[in-house]
Amino acid sequence: MPSPQQSSTTPKEDKNEWRTPTWLYRWVDALWHPEIDLAATRDNAKCERYLSLKEGEDALARPWTGAFVLGARVGWVNPPYSNPKPFLEKAIESAAAGTFSTVLLMPGPRGDRRDALLSHATEITFIVGRISFVAADGSGPAVGNMAGSYVVYCRAHDLGSPRVRWIERDSIKARWS
């Protein structure tokens, strides 16, 4: 748990709406080529095809198979940081079934049950340096990301014994901004 000096005062619901910076998504796209955003709105979707968390579109409410995700084979998720675990579970379940691969941007590990799921991933990339997300309204940088982030890749039919690596945030920004 962060000390009082490190605690964010940003409400959780605001953090859940923060947008992925374009430079970070460009890097993800170059490596894994996501075809659908599984937790987006029309205003913040990173892929042309997207599903929101609204009833009827909720990606967590249905299996991630080709038909449900509009024929896509790889999905992108920047899940609500207040509860990312269901998205990681769904990614692992879908990859294990061989139906879908997923790339997730996750908040830094805290030593909880969610982190135990990482042993099922295909690849884990820790980003050295905190990410400045974009405010929910797209107006500029969001303030208050008090934790690191990492990207988890769950590839269909290829889970367990994940490859783990670290990459400097600034090297991603320098190449993909």
Side-chain angles (χ1 to χ4, degrees), residues 87-99:
F87 289 91
L88 181 56
E89 290 172 331
K90 190 69 127 180
I92 291 167
E93 171 189 311
S94 299
T99 58

Side-chain angles (χ1 to χ4, degrees), residues 62-66 73 88-102 120 122 154-160:
R62 298 188 187 172
W64 292 356
T65 61
R73 293 169 289 136
L88 181 56
E89 290 172 331
K90 190 69 127 180
I92 291 167
E93 171 189 311
S94 299
T99 58
F100 197 69
S101 299
T102 311
H120 299 289
T122 304
C154 297
R155 184 171 52 206
H157 293 303
D158 185 19
L159 294 174

Side-chain angles (χ1 to χ4, degrees), residues 92-122:
I92 291 167
E93 171 189 311
S94 299
T99 58
F100 197 69
S101 299
T102 311
V103 183
L104 305 97
L105 178 60
M106 301 289 288
R110 300 179 315 224
D112 59 13
R113 293 188 191 279
R114 177 195 77 208
D115 299 335
L117 293 171
L118 294 176
S119 65
H120 299 289
T122 304

Side-chain angles (χ1 to χ4, degrees), residues 33-36 49 66 69-75 99-102 154 156:
H33 314 294
E35 302 164 293
I36 188 167
R49 294 181 283 177
V69 291
L70 308 173
R73 293 169 289 136
V74 180
T99 58
F100 197 69
S101 299
T102 311
C154 297

